[in-house]
């Protein structure tokens, strides 16, 4: 589990193709690896990767074909910058939102404009993910926890404040770029819960209704 608060910007040191899979070597930048052990998880551009080798200044991880197909890793090149965050601990401040590191797909940057000192982006998400993106809801972009400020169909607007821009790779995004996105995991599980009885007719019907969600403050 992660929070989407980026700890370091690293870079891709080596990309080794292994059939449909990838073995990745990452230079970790200022990320403190002193407490990282084999098998630990590090979110790399929003993707939860398991450390299979660790050095003082980086780590190695394997990326499965499934992950490659849902993320931008098939297009990344040696030297590309990546946002990094270690998995949370029981004492970690949850400054962002609950992030699993299980990327749902990629979105395209349609527009970039400055508004004051902040950068505003419009992005287009895959149609099948748009229903999980809500006004003032949370979304993860290349591992960064952000608030959705406007939604129009499957397009959504983000505002990147100067601090976030300076501490992540988002400052380098330009029109036409693609980013890894993870939608709010509560929305995904809530949808599954509401539809579970239709998938499994022998399971008792769910007591979660639209009226219950509205009365509980989940719907407006």
């Amino acid at each position: 589990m992660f929070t989407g608060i980026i700890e370091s910007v690293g870079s891709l040191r080596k990309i080794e193709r292994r059939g449909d899979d990838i073995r990745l070597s990452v230079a970790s930048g200022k990320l403190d690896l002193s407490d990282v052990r084999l098998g630990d998880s590090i979110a790399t551009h929003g993707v939860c990767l398991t450390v299979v080798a660790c050095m003082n200044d980086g780590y190695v991880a394997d990326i499965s074909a499934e992950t490659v197909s849902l993320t931008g890793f098939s297009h990344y090149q040696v030297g590309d910058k990546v946002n990094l965050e270690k998995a949370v601990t029981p004492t970690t401040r949850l400054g962002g939102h609950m992030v699993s590191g299980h990327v749902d797909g990629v979105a395209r940057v349609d527009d970039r404009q400055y508004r004051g000192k902040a950068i505003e982006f419009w992005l287009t998400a895959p149609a099948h993910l748009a229903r999980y993106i809500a006004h003032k809801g949370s979304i993860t972009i290349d591992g960064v926890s952000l608030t959705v400020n406007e939604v129009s169909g499957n397009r959504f607007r983000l505002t990147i404040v100067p601090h976030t821009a300076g501490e992540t790779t988002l400052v380098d995004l330009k029109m036409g770029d693609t980013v890894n996105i993870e939608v709010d995991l509560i929305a995904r599980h809530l949808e599954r819960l509401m539809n579970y009885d239709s998938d499994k007719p022998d399971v008792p019907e769910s007591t979660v209704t639209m009226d219950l969600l509205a009365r509980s403050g989940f719907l407006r």
Side-chain angles (χ1 to χ4, degrees), residues 37-50:
R37 302 291 180 265
L38 295 186
D40 284 356
S41 297
I42 298 178
T44 306
H45 235 38
V47 181
C48 177
L49 298 182
T50 300

Side-chain angles (χ1 to χ4, degrees), residues 65-88:
E66 168 74 9
T67 301
V68 172
S69 70
L70 291 174
T71 68
F73 273 101
S74 61
H75 306 296
Y76 295 164
Q77 299 178 5
V78 171
D80 283 353
K81 296 178 180 179
V82 286
N83 297 315
L84 304 177
E85 180 192 359
K86 294 186 293 186
V88 300

Side-chain angles (χ1 to χ4, degrees), residues 156-200:
F156 60 99
R157 179 170 60 85
L158 303 171
T159 301
I160 314 301
V161 298
H163 175 78
T164 301
E167 294 295 321
T168 69
T169 63
L170 298 182
V171 69
D172 298 321
L173 288 179
K174 57 186 181 299
M175 291 175 58
D177 283 350
T178 57
V179 294
N180 297 323
I181 64 171
E182 180 185 335
V183 298
D184 184 68
L185 62 86
I186 294 178
R188 286 186 307 193
H189 286 288
L190 187 59
E191 179 185 57
R192 173 64 174 167
L193 179 63
M194 293 180 65
N195 295 326
Y196 191 72
D197 59 291
S198 62
D199 295 337
K200 301 284 187 178

